[in-house]
Amino acid sequence: MFPILKKRRLNDTMTLMEVEAPFIAKKAKAGQFIILRVNEFGERIPLTIADYDREEGTITIIFQKVGKTTLLLDQLEEGDKILDFIGPLGTASHLDGYKKAAVIGGGAGCAIAYPQAKALHEMGAHVDMIAGFRSQDIIILEDEMRAASNNLFLMTDDGSNGNKGFVTDALKAQIDAGADYDLVVAIGPLPMMRAVSNLTRPYGIKTIISMNPIMIDGTGMCGGCRVTVGGETKFACVDGPDFDGHLVDFDEAILRTRTYREDEARATREYNCHLMEGAKNG
Amino acid sequence: MPVTIKKTEMPVQAPDIRKNNFEQVSLGYTVEMALEEAQRCLNCKHKPCIAGCPVGVKIPEFISQLKSGEYEAAYQTIRETNALPAVCGRVCPQESQCEAKCVRGIKGEAVAIGRLERFAADYHMQHFSEVTEAVKSNGIPAAVVGAGPSGLTCAGELAKRGYEVTIFEALHQPGGVLIYGIPEFRLPKKIVAYEIENLKKLGVKIQTDIVIGKTISVDELFEQGMRAVFIGSGAGLPSFMQIEGESLNGVYSANEYLTRINLMKAYLPDYGTPILKGKSVAVVGGGNVAMDAARSALRIGAESVSIIYRRSMKEMPARQEEVEHAMEEGVQFHLLTNPVRFIGDENGWLRGVECVKMELGEPDASGRRRPVAQKGSEFFLDIDTAIIAVGTSPNPLIRKTTDGLEVNRHGCILTQEETGETSRKGVYAGGDAVTGAATVILAMGAGRKAAEAMDQYIQQNFGESNSLN
């Protein structure tokens, strides 16, 4: 059992939790993830390690409420315990040796891009952070991202923060203005990572993306998370989740994320109905 | 009592009923049936059956005890060399082990050794509460990596010798393949839970959610004071076929399919893990894993399930009883057939598989005749779910994170056969991590041998002075 030491709602859909997991905190590196199971009936879901504190023995996770399990997780309060919490899983990001990097986060992906920016920044790289959100009211981690970068470009799809456009627009503008990036890190929805990879390919800028396929065990025993990279089958849970964005078959990965869409929708619907009934009866 | 040439039948759930539930198919012998079957044992002087058992269970001895109604004594006899009789009696391929050597088998059917072993174990479970002799702890810590059959057996043997044993398990539940692989209808999970409770009573600690190689390394286990480490991490890495269309939605590895069903209980409404409930399912492979996957697919509502196997029935490695059960339940067999590519629709969903007919050529390295594709024999099968069950290999996590651990080109850990000793001092290994995918009983035998060797190693190297208390 893994106690929740801190809980903070970042906005209406996103929550941060600090979980006591000393073994994992001792080993965690940027780019790695954990698998958790909320309760006995629960499914196992992967979440990226957003931060860690080796001394305090804690792991920070940030999750978006997108379905039953994340809704259930969001119900837990400080002092409550998560049943299973396993990690650190996956291969840590290889970030050393780069001089000037653009780190791009899309929506909830900023929670995963932020530790990458922080790691690069601490290694002495010049870091431009480009963060994209649908609108101003769902912007998260602004202070943290600013502290982890030399420049922060905050973009909104609807322009509600006065900076309308996609992350690719900001990246293109920087490249055209002569930003001589030797690395681009892009983390967010698959179509966004595909767009960034397509943008950087002609410039030949090394582009690392972080895949987020369906996972169960997270230790390489099932291949549910397989992705095609450079024509080869890779397991994102052990070979990744970071891959070369120029080699990933994004179209296939996007189709694979839809495997359980109907089941997920039904589970969420039933969970919400259940909550409503509870509210009525309570 | 006249002795027949056939085995005493074991009652089973009717095929048309059982194919809709996950309850145990074979119901086991009653006392009367067990006594009748035990009479068939000739109590041969040279006991060939024992040679066929990988852990050398004293077969004629326990059967004699059954004959005279000493059921608990029979159970204890088995337990001397086999830590999990209720499991082995159910899942061992007896037809190629103990029963293959039975003299009765020459002119008729072999004595049903597996069914009798299972009877003794089940009878014990129903009628006796476990009396565990308190073992005096010697205070010496030892570690076991992986809570599958080899690790559980090794841990039990070490605990009996007084060691403070901790098992580290990556998943959230111990049992290994007994929990995530073999389905409830073949091995009820309460039996596995019972055996694990017994281990805990011996003082074995089990830490789940610890991935050795990630959460903690083998080296750190020694730093924590472990005097010896046993690696029983199995062969859990699934092989895919590397053919077109394998990433389509609806194509599973058997490991994923069975993990969702068995470990995550995706077939029960209260559990959160989803599974695709295909109408028309094909399973590629001819082993027990393929049979388990096919029969599970039927039970979650498939209308048609086929096995696609590239050799013939004769070469099929699955347990004979499971193949028969699968056939009775309506699983179809496409033998001498191999998939060439999976075909999907524009949204990435599996719609069918193109297969080719095979014929058997010269024997290959494994001694089995190599299947060769027949040109022009391609045909198409309409399916919406495919399950790949063509084998597994050891997970690379431990070998990649443990310096000096030698492995062969298949990634199997190299050991001394008799002791399980690896190239790393104090590190022992056994089970599928060493042999590649094999049987439960072989894994248990390896765990047992390694425990003995670890005991000797610790005594020789640390002697009396090494108690940490």
Side-chain angles (χ1 to χ4, degrees):
Chain A
M1 300 283 272
F2 299 81
I4 296 163
L5 301 186
K6 209 165 109 187
K7 176 182 175 184
R8 179 156 62 98
R9 288 228 163 81
L10 300 178
N11 60 35
D12 285 352
T13 64
M14 297 200 58
T15 304
L16 173 150
M17 279 179 181
E18 251 179 61
V19 180
E20 189 180 327
F23 284 132
I24 307 176
K26 218 174 125 189
K27 285 284 173 64
K29 290 195 179 119
Q32 290 189 298
F33 66 96
I34 57 96
I35 292 253
L36 65 79
R37 195 168 68 123
V38 178
N39 61 32
E40 200 52 44
F41 295 100
E43 59 178 342
R44 295 165 66 103
I45 62 159
L47 288 172
T48 301
I49 296 170
D51 210 345
Y52 51 80
D53 187 324
R54 301 208 199 280
E55 255 109 75
E56 297 293 315
T58 58
I59 291 290
T60 303
I61 50 171
I62 295 175
F63 59 92
Q64 187 172 20
K65 287 182 277 177
V66 289
K68 181 180 170 178
T69 299
T70 41
L71 287 165
L72 211 56
L73 184 59
D74 191 58
Q75 293 282 306
L76 297 183
E77 299 297 337
E78 288 175 9
D80 288 343
K81 288 171 180 164
I82 297 171
L83 182 58
D84 296 294
F85 201 80
I86 303 138
L89 300 171
T91 304
S93 305
H94 299 294
L95 298 175
D96 40 332
Y98 294 103
K99 290 189 186 69
K100 190 168 184 196
V103 179
I104 304 168
C110 290
I112 313 168
Y114 153 65
Q116 308 263 15
K118 189 174 151 192
L120 278 164
H121 200 58
E122 281 169 2
M123 280 185 254
H126 172 102
V127 177
D128 286 347
M129 176 113 206
I130 303 171
F133 295 91
R134 265 199 325 277
S135 63
Q136 188 178 12
D137 52 334
I138 56 167
I139 290 175
I140 56 163
L141 301 175
E142 184 175 345
D143 296 341
E144 286 88 344
M145 291 190 292
R146 202 174 294 284
S149 58
N150 299 71
N151 301 298
L152 173 65
F153 304 93
L154 267 177
M155 310 295 288
T156 50
D157 296 359
D158 63 1
S160 51
N161 74 335
N163 214 1
K164 186 174 160 70
F166 296 122
V167 289
T168 39
D169 299 329
L171 178 63
K172 180 107 181 30
Q174 290 308 307
I175 293 173
D176 288 348
D180 199 12
Y181 297 126
D182 54 1
L183 176 71
V184 168
V185 178
I187 300 166
L190 287 164
M192 173 277 220
M193 295 194 289
R194 177 174 58 188
V196 170
S197 300
N198 286 341
L199 171 63
T200 57
R201 188 179 284 110
Y203 296 97
I205 306 170
K206 169 91 179 165
T207 300
I208 298 175
I209 55 92
S210 177
M211 295 301 281
N212 49 4
I214 295 166
M215 287 188 191
I216 309 174
D217 61 289
T219 61
M221 64 170 264
C222 86
C225 66
R226 60 195 187 276
V227 289
T228 305
V229 182
E232 277 180 61
T233 300
K234 299 278 181 191
F235 291 1
C237 72
V238 289
D239 302 316
D242 286 2
F243 291 106
D244 182 338
H246 296 152
L247 298 178
V248 169
D249 186 337
F250 284 104
D251 298 345
E252 175 188 283
I254 289 169
L255 294 175
R256 279 184 69 78
T257 59
R258 297 180 188 157
T259 307
Y260 300 104
R261 204 158 46 170
E262 283 174 31
D263 299 86
E264 285 157 4
R266 188 174 54 244
T268 307
R269 211 161 47 235
E270 283 169 5
Y271 176 79
N272 284 329
C273 286
H274 190 69
L275 273 190
M276 300 278 273
E277 256 170 49
K280 251 189 280 171
N281 298 338
Chain B
M1 198 187 300
V3 173
T4 62
I5 59 158
K6 293 207 123 194
K7 282 179 183 173
T8 307
E9 289 280 338
M10 179 161 58
V12 293
Q13 272 196 75
D16 55 331
I17 296 175
R18 73 180 191 235
K19 69 175 192 190
N20 298 312
N21 69 54
F22 273 83
E23 278 149 48
Q24 195 168 212
V25 167
S26 303
L27 304 172
Y29 279 162
T30 60
V31 171
E32 292 72 27
M33 292 170 191
L35 288 176
E36 188 187 328
E37 184 61 23
Q39 294 302 329
R40 297 185 64 235
C41 175
L42 299 168
N43 202 4
C44 309
K45 270 220 173 61
H46 61 300
K47 308 176 186 357
C49 50
I50 298 182
C53 172
V55 297
V57 168
K58 294 173 185 162
I59 295 165
E61 191 175 324
F62 96 76
I63 295 181
S64 296
Q65 288 164 321
L66 286 182
K67 276 184 208 168
S68 42
E70 299 168 58
Y71 310 127
E72 177 62 9
Y75 172 75
Q76 294 302 340
T77 300
I78 302 170
R79 274 301 294 266
E80 281 175 34
T81 58
N82 183 338
L84 311 169
V87 173
C88 292
R90 285 173 169 83
V91 307
C92 272
Q94 289 97 0
E95 69 268 19
S96 57
Q97 296 181 340
C98 54
E99 294 180 20
K101 307 272 172 136
C102 175
V103 170
R104 275 256 177 245
I106 300 169
K107 282 188 183 160
E109 287 183 352
V111 172
I113 300 165
R115 294 175 185 179
L116 291 174
E117 177 180 47
R118 168 180 167 174
F119 167 80
D122 288 359
Y123 190 92
H124 166 84
M125 245 183 277
Q126 280 153 21
H127 297 90
F128 293 85
S129 57
E130 202 67 24
V131 191
T132 358
E133 330 85 87
V135 184
K136 195 175 171 293
S137 167
N138 62 15
I140 305 170
V144 168
V145 179
S150 73
L152 293 174
T153 306
C154 181
E157 293 294 326
L158 287 170
K160 281 190 212 159
R161 289 169 160 87
Y163 292 94
E164 302 265 346
V165 187
T166 308
I167 305 182
F168 297 93
E169 167 57 44
L171 290 172
H172 57 258
Q173 223 180 323
V177 75
L178 308 177
I179 283 292
Y180 76 75
I182 305 174
E184 184 78 20
F185 56 82
R186 216 149 66 80
L187 179 65
K189 299 298 159 253
K190 66 166 199 244
I191 289 174
V192 184
Y194 176 88
E195 303 287 13
I196 287 167
E197 275 314 303
N198 282 344
L199 273 187
K200 288 186 184 163
K201 284 184 197 159
L202 277 173
V204 172
K205 289 189 199 70
I206 302 182
Q207 288 205 15
T208 52
D209 294 348
I210 303 274
V211 186
I212 298 298
K214 286 286 177 188
T215 318
I216 307 174
S217 68
V218 169
D219 292 295
E220 285 167 313
L221 291 176
F222 284 110
E223 283 164 26
Q224 287 178 11
M226 299 295 177
R227 295 298 198 199
V229 175
F230 175 78
I231 300 173
S233 50
L237 183 78
S239 302
F240 284 89
M241 304 190 68
Q242 315 295 347
I243 59 175
E244 190 187 324
E246 238 172 350
S247 291
L248 289 165
N249 289 349
V251 182
Y252 282 104
S253 75
N255 264 14
E256 177 178 2
Y257 196 76
L258 291 172
T259 299
R260 284 180 182 272
I261 288 184
N262 298 321
L263 178 71
M264 306 312 297
K265 306 251 178 290
Y267 66 95
L268 294 175
D270 289 343
Y271 288 79
T273 303
I275 190 157
L276 292 176
K277 295 187 168 79
K279 289 284 163 242
S280 179
V281 181
V283 181
V284 185
N288 285 316
V289 174
M291 298 307 136
D292 287 343
R295 298 172 70 197
S296 297
L298 272 181
R299 284 160 171 78
I300 60 169
E303 283 158 14
S304 79
V305 177
S306 0
I307 293 275
I308 299 175
Y309 180 52
R310 61 193 184 136
R311 291 186 162 99
S312 74
M313 197 57 105
K314 210 174 87 214
E315 289 82 21
M316 207 174 262
R319 248 184 124 217
Q320 195 183 322
E321 186 174 287
E322 310 313 329
V323 176
E324 283 164 16
H325 283 166
M327 285 178 157
E328 288 165 8
E329 288 162 12
V331 173
Q332 294 159 46
F333 286 73
H334 293 283
L335 301 171
L336 289 165
T337 302
N338 211 24
V340 182
R341 62 188 178 113
F342 294 106
I343 298 152
D345 65 16
E346 68 283 4
N347 293 316
W349 287 88
L350 179 67
R351 286 294 169 254
V353 56
E354 187 184 309
C355 298
V356 65
K357 293 299 252 180
M358 311 291 279
E359 57 191 356
L360 293 180
E362 294 300 309
D364 63 13
S366 73
R368 294 183 298 179
R369 293 173 65 194
R370 186 191 297 275
V372 185
Q374 286 180 273
K375 268 218 168 98
S377 67
E378 288 81 4
F379 67 100
F380 178 84
L381 274 179
D382 216 354
I383 55 168
D384 57 16
T385 306
I387 303 165
I388 314 286
V390 296
T392 57
S393 57
N395 192 306
L397 217 50
I398 287 176
R399 67 172 187 259
K400 276 189 182 164
T401 55
T402 310
D403 283 338
L405 194 66
E406 282 175 28
V407 298
N408 69 14
R409 66 193 174 91
H410 301 293
C412 300
I413 300 172
L414 293 173
T415 61
Q416 303 289 331
E417 200 181 323
E418 278 313 301
T419 59
E421 206 181 332
T422 69
S423 54
R424 269 287 299 267
K425 201 167 177 264
V427 178
Y428 294 73
D432 288 2
V434 170
T435 57
T439 60
V440 169
I441 188 80
L442 278 173
M444 288 170 50
R448 200 157 171 269
K449 274 195 258 179
E452 202 181 313
M454 288 164 80
D455 181 25
Q456 277 179 18
Y457 163 82
I458 295 172
Q459 295 307 330
Q460 276 163 18
N461 286 273
F462 303 99
E464 291 302 310
S465 63
N466 90 88
S467 169
L468 300 180
N469 290 345

